[in-house]
Amino acid sequence: LSGQRVADLLKRAPVTIGRDATIREAAVLMSEHRISCLPVVVEGRLCGILTDRDLRCRVIAAGRSPEERVEAVMTPDPRSIDAGAWLFEA
């Protein structure tokens, strides 16, 4: 792993969603693509992430409507690393 970069592990383009999408739309997209997290982007910039845990804790357990916006339940400003970084840095 010390000789590989983050980009070496990327197998496909990321599936993303906008912050104005509904929670339901996000859940459907995650199901269709069989992914457990969904980067939330605005104008090509990462502004949040929605995870299975967010859906469980912030939506279902909290009794929120799936028609609310993703922005209301996403984890804002997640840490990220450049794809050219070495894996040991990640």
Side-chain angles (χ1 to χ4, degrees), residues 4-77:
Q4 290 186 301
R5 298 198 181 268
V6 171
D8 296 335
L9 296 182
L10 303 176
K11 304 279 188 231
R12 63 180 177 171
V15 177
T16 63
I17 198 163
R19 67 180 174 203
D20 292 332
T22 66
I23 296 166
R24 181 184 312 280
E25 290 169 331
V28 167
L29 191 60
M30 291 168 74
S31 293
E32 287 174 348
H33 289 274
R34 302 184 67 175
I35 54 177
S36 60
C37 62
L38 190 58
V40 181
V41 297
V42 174
E43 297 177 2
R45 186 185 70 80
L46 179 67
C47 68
I49 190 166
L50 184 69
T51 66
D52 281 346
R53 183 176 182 178
D54 293 330
L55 292 173
R56 184 179 69 244
C57 297
R58 296 180 181 167
V59 180
I60 308 245
R64 296 183 88 142
S65 168
E67 300 311 317
E68 288 187 53
R69 293 176 20 177
V70 165
E71 184 175 43
V73 295
M74 71 182 189
T75 299
D77 302 316

